[in-house]
Amino acid sequence: MIRTRFAPSPTGFLHIGGARTALFAWAFARHHGGQFILRVEDTDVARSTPEAVQGILDGMNWLGLKPDEGPYYQMQRMPRYKEVIAQMLAAGTAYRCYTTPEELERMREAQRAAGLKPRYDGTWRPEPGKTLPTPPTGAQPVVRFRNPVDGIVAWDDLVKGRIEIANAELDDLVIARADGTPTYNFCVVVDDWEMKITHVIRGDDHVNNTPRQINILDALGAQVPIYAHLSMILGDDGQKLSKRHGAVSVMQYDDAGYLPEAVLNYLARLGWSHGDDEVFTMEQFCAWFDLGHITPSAAQFNTEKLNWLNAHYLKQTDNERLAMLVRPRLEARGVTVGATPALDAIIGLYKERVSNLNELADAAEIFYIDLHPQADVLAQHLTPEALPALADFIAGVREVAWEAPAIGALIKACIGRHGLKMPKLAMPLRVLLTGQAQTPSVDAVIALFPREMVLKRLTAASPK
Ligand code: GLU
């Protein structure tokens, strides 16, 4: 049984890089009919917040990355970590160390001065035949992992290839602080072990932790999972993705009017490929996804491509669902969405022309608010030669069949009678009805409105 996990630290909102990690871990589990586990790594109490936890859950939910198990919270697992530490102390794979922080600092200074790499000197590390110093009374020790001193620790990373580290490079890691709380790497190890994680898919900022984690897993007699470390995501400008680049939290993409399926499709292609396929469903992605086609080099964000995908998905999405997504955006702007024109009809006409839900809301808004076209725009289009044709059209509106083709025919008849070219009448109509010079086909726009509303808008602003 394949078991993957996503293990965010709730110190900020779900970042777009974290979302990609979650997506890959989720898809790998789906591909193999396995399980995807969500684990909130909230042991850094100073930096973890309930808002960030909620932000992560919201982001996962918005993307539809549903865990099969969890969320587990590390803070709720403290007793278990302490139990494992006690077992390791008993087994001799961990030991109490009474070296004080001041002593450690002095030790490091001396090592640095001698041109050596600063490291713990092993004073309290038990060795066969070695007599340990007597513990100072009343002092609270930390617990250190007894890291092997010889040999190497190695793993075949599914993205980065084989990685080997000499154990001599690794210190005896502190696994419990003097107050008894377990440290970060230790909790990860216990959880990956007990949650029976088979594949650890995570950001490559954790490559450095992996050799230590493997050594501890070995000491526990645990099965070492397979690791796949994903390269980081760079911004459009090739720099490390950060707040400077605008939206970095997943929910900001929601605010900005992206559809989750567009973001998912986009993220799936960030560092992974399936031939030349650019547009695919999550079902296809899960069917295709493997860890063998992940690029080890950093992936670069491309906002233009995301926008293109979003426009694509907007076109594909039915009007009713889009209306459900656009309506709260309009309401948030204080716009009351009336029964006429029907929001889904407006959306049907505009969805081909926009690249996000906010633009769709912009387009829909003008149908529901009192419109005050700008005087200069009116002056530009309500020319003396256009006015008689406009009056003619207004007269015709009262009788014409209320559907786009008949309205189109009326427009043509009016321009014919007044010897005008199409834009001479179409532009004033657009501007008076929508406040905008650019709209979809004007007859289709007019047909969206109730007849009375058209009469009202055409007569309100046009000079008498
Ligand atoms: N909690 C870590 C983070 O948010 C991830 C740990 C892991 O995946 O092993 O960076």
Side-chain angles (χ1 to χ4, degrees), residues 369-390:
I369 56 171
D370 284 333
L371 202 65
H372 303 286
Q374 287 174 340
D376 56 335
V377 181
L378 288 178
Q380 187 191 339
H381 296 290
L382 294 178
T383 54
E385 56 176 338
L387 289 179
L390 184 60

Side-chain angles (χ1 to χ4, degrees), residues 6 14 44-45 77 95 111 143 163 203 294 331 360 419 428 454:
F6 177 53
L14 181 60
D44 185 346
V45 282
R77 291 179 42 76
Y95 61 94
Q111 286 161 339
V143 177
I163 300 182
I294 295 179
E331 286 166 355
L360 212 42
V454 167

Side-chain angles (χ1 to χ4, degrees), residues 264-294:
L264 285 167
N265 190 157
Y266 181 71
L267 289 178
R269 283 284 291 105
L270 265 185
W272 175 85
S273 58
H274 181 264
D276 294 329
D277 291 307
E278 290 291 354
V279 183
F280 43 80
T281 64
M282 280 303 105
E283 287 71 42
Q284 287 171 307
F285 180 52
C286 291
W288 296 337
F289 185 68
D290 62 346
L291 295 168
H293 285 86
I294 295 179

Side-chain angles (χ1 to χ4, degrees), residues 5-9 39 41 184 188 192 200-203 205-206 213:
R5 79 329 188 253
F6 177 53
S9 302
R39 177 170 89 217
E41 304 203 321
Y184 167 76
V188 172
D192 284 343
V200 170
I201 300 167
R202 63 184 171 195
D205 45 335
H206 292 284
Q213 294 181 1

